[in-house]
Amino acid sequence: DAKTTQPTSMDCAEGRAANLPCNHSTISGNEYVYWYRQIHSQGPQYIIHGLKNNETNEMASLIITEDRKSSTLILPHATLRDTAVYYCIVSRWTTSGTYKYIFGTGTRLKVLA
Amino acid sequence: DVKVTQSSRYLVKRTGEKVFLECVQDMDHENMFWYRQDPGLGLRLIYFSYDVKMKEKGDIPEGYSVSREKKERFSLILESASTNQTSMYLCASSIRRTSGRVTDTQYFGPGTRLTVL
């Protein structure tokens, strides 16, 4: 199965950009990269996803390398409320025609005041 | 807004009991998923369903079964609960990706923290 690798933890100063890297070197051509975050004791919350091109929404930006083997989630101006575990996920095709998520172990981001 | 609800936030059961965890989504999604989350192991897929009465094993199906009799509801069943099934259980749903719909974003419920004594 495709697998993602992320650093275990990172710190970021409040107001600065948080750059969270992810390695997914075994990703296949039609597999999307998704990012979610999980605040303690809640369900994961969707942030952004992409296939080949860089993507931006109101929460974050996603930069995917040209070979698609890695990506970076950017939170442009981190706040204390962005403290959470961030998961990088590859969405993989199954024989039933469904896409299932392959989760990494996540990066614990701590935003410091 | 998509809403995925789970029947309980916290549940305490005894070893050997039959346990039902219920999940309901209100967005007419074809796909529904059950995960468990344990410290250091992340989220692991137990089972998923891609249509009513259709199911497929995930990565760790042993000790679990599922039921999907209606499109909006997906149940996870522990036939005989054991202490190693103490965990956080998360349900999610998504639309089916087709050529006309290229996203399969999963929406998660709040989770059920199950303790088996």
Side-chain angles (χ1 to χ4, degrees):
Chain A
D1 266 348
K3 182 184 164 183
T4 66
T5 306
Q6 302 174 250
T8 303
S9 64
M10 294 179 64
D11 290 341
C12 176
E14 189 178 20
R16 303 297 293 267
N19 295 278
L20 291 86
C22 178
N23 181 290
H24 32 78
S25 57
T26 58
I27 196 169
S28 297
N30 63 350
E31 293 175 344
Y32 280 73
V33 177
Y34 281 79
W35 283 83
Y36 281 69
R37 72 181 183 186
Q38 187 176 27
I39 296 168
H40 184 61
S41 296
Q42 297 181 20
Q45 175 193 19
Y46 167 79
I47 300 173
I48 198 167
H49 73 283
L51 184 64
K52 298 178 188 176
N53 301 320
N54 298 338
E55 302 287 345
T56 295
N57 63 20
E58 65 278 3
M59 289 181 71
S61 295
L62 174 61
I63 309 297
I64 302 174
T65 57
E66 196 169 335
D67 63 7
R68 303 213 322 123
K69 292 185 177 183
S70 65
S71 61
T72 300
L73 177 75
I74 301 171
L75 307 179
H77 305 287
T79 71
L80 298 178
R81 286 181 295 179
D82 292 323
T83 293
V85 177
Y86 288 78
Y87 291 100
C88 172
I89 296 157
V90 168
S91 181
R92 161 146 285 195
W93 174 263
T94 70
T95 53
S96 61
T98 308
Y99 284 81
K100 69 175 187 179
Y101 281 359
I102 310 297
F103 277 82
T105 50
T107 295
R108 188 172 297 276
L109 175 70
K110 188 172 182 181
V111 179
L112 306 172
Chain B
D1 267 1
V2 175
K3 195 162 184 187
V4 179
T5 56
Q6 296 183 229
S7 50
S8 306
R9 287 287 275 141
Y10 300 93
L11 205 54
V12 180
K13 295 291 181 181
R14 297 209 173 272
T15 303
E17 278 192 79
K18 190 168 186 175
V19 180
F20 292 85
L21 302 183
E22 303 284 336
C23 176
V24 177
Q25 51 94 3
D26 66 356
M27 282 301 292
D28 203 36
H29 284 173
E30 292 88 357
N31 302 325
M32 295 187 75
F33 305 83
W34 276 107
Y35 297 86
R36 65 176 282 176
Q37 185 173 27
D38 301 287
L41 296 176
L43 277 83
R44 294 179 291 167
L45 182 63
I46 304 171
Y47 266 97
F48 64 96
S49 168
Y50 48 92
D51 205 343
V52 174
K53 298 190 188 293
M54 305 305 287
K55 62 187 179 185
E56 188 164 322
K57 292 179 181 179
D59 302 315
I60 51 163
E62 297 79 19
Y64 303 94
S65 62
V66 290
S67 173
R68 190 158 180 212
E69 297 296 319
K70 293 185 177 181
K71 192 174 185 180
E72 68 271 18
R73 188 178 297 269
F74 192 33
S75 302
L76 180 70
I77 303 155
L78 288 65
E79 294 289 342
S80 178
S82 64
T83 55
N84 63 13
Q85 293 178 309
T86 291
S87 187
M88 168 72 92
Y89 290 87
L90 289 155
C91 175
S93 72
S94 74
I95 61 171
R96 178 177 298 148
R97 196 196 296 188
T98 64
S99 59
R101 297 189 297 188
V102 296
T103 182
D104 54 345
T105 302
Q106 291 187 23
Y107 297 90
F108 284 82
T112 295
R113 188 166 294 281
L114 173 68
T115 302
V116 182
L117 301 175

